[in-house]
Amino acid sequence: MPSCARHPDRPTGLRCTRCDRPACPECLREASVGYQCVDCVNEGRSAVRRGTTVAGAQPTQRLVVMPVLVALNLVVFAVTAYQAQSVGHNENSRLFLDWYLAPGVVADGEWWRLFTSGFLHFGPVHIALNMIALYILGRDLEPILGRLRFTAVYLVSLLGGGVAVFLFGDVNSAVAGASGAVFGLMGGIAVVTFRLKLNPGPALGIIAINVFMSVTLPGISLLGHLGGLVVGAIATAAMVYPPRRSRNAWQAGTLLALAAALIGLAMVRGAQLSELFCTAQFGCH
């Protein structure tokens, strides 16, 4: 009898139904028709094209970005609480003072605050609410968008919330929190429900309730929430609506355009505030 193609010392009367090579029982796997050798099985698996989501991502149940973002926010909160020697008044820490968003300070050249303020929180209740929302929204949205796209939507939404406060907020206000990015994910969930032709009622209801709370409750930045919501919805729409053939180009182009527009608006506003400060202090023209 011929020998197994993978084990020359094993005579066998069996053959692979796909390549017709001799194969011992150890090297055969049951197929839809007959038995195939392990080489043909592996080749068939690699040739199978995996499906993608509406955003072009490979379906996966293993979440990475959302847990990392939650952990990062918790670490920053722990650092501020340690520096301030207080969990309830962590805003007194050195890191908090260097990172929070104040339009007047940003206009003075500390542009990083538009981004870093999104990782700060006022006390345990503030961070708990935002991290619970991030967990719930990220758990549903990351598998659809994929890790890279989900990260991009989160970060551009965070920036959108910060720029909205910088453009329209009180120059002496102090703003911090991941709420702008979280509202961006809310907008993203709403867009995805429309794209998948699901019932958008629950998503829109949650957004309406949170916007209402932003208006009625004290100490909440409505501008940051709305800025993140609008930017997140636009960014997610760019992820799930482009045609498949040019999907990547549309996604990257829209994200770059959004980021450029936000940075451009921030620069214009910074120039306006600098001129106002100069006029008020020194009578500049």
Side-chain angles (χ1 to χ4, degrees), residues 12-42:
T12 179
L14 304 175
R15 290 181 177 274
C16 171
T17 56
R18 182 174 180 180
C19 67
D20 200 38
R21 293 187 304 169
C24 65
E26 182 181 339
C27 294
L28 291 174
R29 301 290 183 270
E30 187 175 3
S32 56
V33 178
Y35 289 83
Q36 295 182 4
C37 65
V38 291
D39 294 329
C40 287
V41 170
N42 293 333

Side-chain angles (χ1 to χ4, degrees), residues 22-245:
C24 65
E26 182 181 339
C27 294
L28 291 174
R29 301 290 183 270
E30 187 175 3
S32 56
V33 178
Y35 289 83
Q36 295 182 4
C37 65
V38 291
D39 294 329
C40 287
V41 170
N42 293 333
E43 182 181 347
R45 287 175 179 172
S46 63
V48 173
R49 183 178 180 180
R50 298 177 60 187
T52 59
T53 67
V54 291
Q58 296 289 345
T60 178
Q61 298 299 322
R62 185 168 179 263
L63 302 178
V64 175
V65 178
M66 181 272 290
V68 168
L69 290 172
V70 171
L72 183 58
N73 279 275
L74 292 175
V75 167
V76 173
F77 180 80
V79 171
T80 59
Y82 174 78
Q83 290 181 347
Q85 294 297 297
S86 172
V87 175
H89 295 284
N90 62 306
E91 70 273 9
N92 296 324
S93 72
R94 180 72 260 172
L95 182 64
F96 206 105
L97 295 175
D98 288 339
W99 280 13
Y100 78 91
L101 173 56
V105 181
V106 172
D108 199 35
E110 299 187 11
W111 296 96
W112 63 85
R113 294 174 182 264
L114 293 172
F115 181 79
T116 56
S117 60
F119 294 93
L120 298 173
H121 292 85
F122 292 99
V125 175
H126 188 202
I127 190 171
L129 292 175
N130 274 341
M131 293 305 100
I132 291 172
L134 174 56
Y135 169 79
I136 295 173
L137 296 167
R139 179 187 58 189
D140 294 333
L141 198 56
E142 183 179 340
I144 296 174
L145 297 183
R147 295 165 187 167
L148 182 60
R149 296 172 181 86
F150 177 78
T151 303
V153 170
Y154 183 91
L155 294 180
V156 76
S157 299
L158 187 152
L159 181 61
V163 171
V165 173
F166 183 53
L167 291 176
F168 307 109
D170 188 332
V171 293
N172 296 317
S173 61
V175 178
S179 303
V182 169
F183 265 74
L185 299 184
M186 289 184 191
I189 287 289
V191 169
V192 168
T193 58
F194 279 106
R195 176 63 177 85
L196 297 178
K197 299 181 180 179
L198 303 175
N199 178 17
L204 296 178
I206 292 174
I207 292 174
I209 292 172
N210 280 273
V211 171
F212 176 77
M213 293 173 60
S214 301
V215 174
T216 57
L217 296 180
I220 296 181
S221 174
L222 176 63
L223 290 172
H225 291 181
L226 293 180
L229 177 67
V230 172
V231 172
I234 295 174
T236 305
M239 299 295 108
V240 299
Y241 275 105
R244 180 175 300 180
R245 292 182 178 179

